[in-house]
Amino acid sequence: MKIESIKLKNFKAFKEAELVDIPGFCIFVGANGSGKSTIFSIFGFLHDALTSNVNAALMKMGGSRGFQEVRSRNSEGPVEIELKFREKPDSPLATYFISIGEENGKAVVEREILKYRRGSGGQPWHFLDFSNGQGKAVTNELETVKDVKELQREDQTLKAKDILAVKGLAQFERFPAVVALGNLIENWHISDFHISKARPEQEAGYAEHLSREGENLSLVIEYLHKHHPDVFQKILALLKERVPGVSNVEAKTTEEGRVLLKFQDGSFEDPFLARYVSDGTIKMMAYLTLLYDPNPHPLLCVEEPENQLYPKLLMELAEEFRQYSERGGQVFVSTHSPDFLNAAHVDEVFWLVKQNGYTRIHRARDNPQIAAYMKDGDQMGYLWAEGFFEGADPG
């Protein structure tokens, strides 16, 4: 699945903003507070709304003021989110739109639409259309439908006005676009890795996927070693290339039932514990574990991957992210590092600028000067450091 565009209205710092033709590997730069993390939070908000309801999701994101805190300051009208996506490269373009307003002090879903576009022309087919808890949903298996007149729709009423209509339909395989959307929302992953969380010994347990802050790294390494030895060996081979001296890594369970990471340096006979290796070694191990997950996330969001890594490793890491996206998992990265940005292609970079309290989105490829320099062989990070990203000074 691939998100092709995101349109926001009255969502936090984005009073009105749009990302179009989004690449598989997408990099966001900008000053602190410009809205990079807010783009990631769209998916967290949808996840919380899908698993509970819109009011609970707004309270989690905006605190006790909920809707009023999430809606852009000094703005009127609903909060709107629109995602355009394809389940597969040859699938019809699907659009999911949600408009959230307020009624008697509580948030309500004023409008929720899921529609397909068949081919390059004609009107899209509305697969789901709800307003304030009531609406219609198509019951056909869409692969069998050739004409919009053949669509069969049923009237539905939700239990409450703050519940998403896609919540129930996402469980049924005969609705492929809804299933794809539900899979994205449920299985997207944000990585905000903390070295201090990954070093301590962990209680023995079971983990298949790296957590947001990486505290279960040793458990995931143990899982990969036992159940996916080929993936484990791939990660180890790449780690050896990135970090000279590391010859082996193992997750060892102690008699007290704790799991610890042990690293083997080819220069020494005895292995040493994770707490004695460099920050860069631990973080590179974590990112490789994340990027070579046997069941990759449909969307991977990574905040500032450059922290604790040697600058010379950042271009290689960026290439790993790009390869992950080429294997089918879209990647969004926020960064403050010109070294990381030097690995970027001109169509992969967006920069955010806050003006008069609201965030505007610019794209590197749309700037004639940047595009010309990149065509002549310059690197994006150097152009950013030289001030070509107006309003987004890396310093």
Side-chain angles (χ1 to χ4, degrees), residues 233-247 284 288 292 312-313 316 320 323:
Q233 291 301 325
K234 173 70 172 178
I235 293 170
L236 184 58
L238 289 169
L239 187 67
K240 290 177 184 177
E241 290 179 15
R242 305 285 192 272
V243 185
V246 174
S247 59
M284 182 58 73
L288 291 173
Y292 287 90
K312 67 179 182 180
L313 294 177
E316 293 176 341
E320 296 284 1
Q323 290 177 13

Side-chain angles (χ1 to χ4, degrees), residues 49 52 60 62 83 101 209 248 251 257 361 364 378:
S52 53
K60 185 173 180 180
L83 303 178
H209 306 285
N248 195 29
I361 302 174
D378 271 302

Side-chain angles (χ1 to χ4, degrees), residues 2 10 43 68 83 98 258 268 303 329 333 349 363:
K2 181 174 180 289
N10 293 335
F43 307 101
Q68 293 298 330
L83 303 178
I98 180 173
R258 292 178 175 273
F268 300 94
E303 296 194 88
V333 174
V349 178
R363 191 166 193 173

Side-chain angles (χ1 to χ4, degrees), residues 21-73:
D21 192 20
I22 301 174
F25 179 37
C26 185
I27 304 172
F28 298 96
V29 299
N32 288 329
S34 61
K36 300 187 298 298
S37 295
T38 301
I39 291 177
F40 295 176
S41 72
I42 296 166
F43 307 101
F45 168 75
L46 290 174
H47 177 271
D48 293 333
L50 189 70
T51 54
S52 53
N53 57 58
V54 165
N55 273 290
L58 288 168
M59 294 286 281
K60 185 173 180 180
M61 186 176 186
S64 59
R65 297 184 70 241
F67 177 79
Q68 293 298 330
E69 188 64 28
V70 173
R71 183 166 62 181
S72 301
R73 297 291 173 87

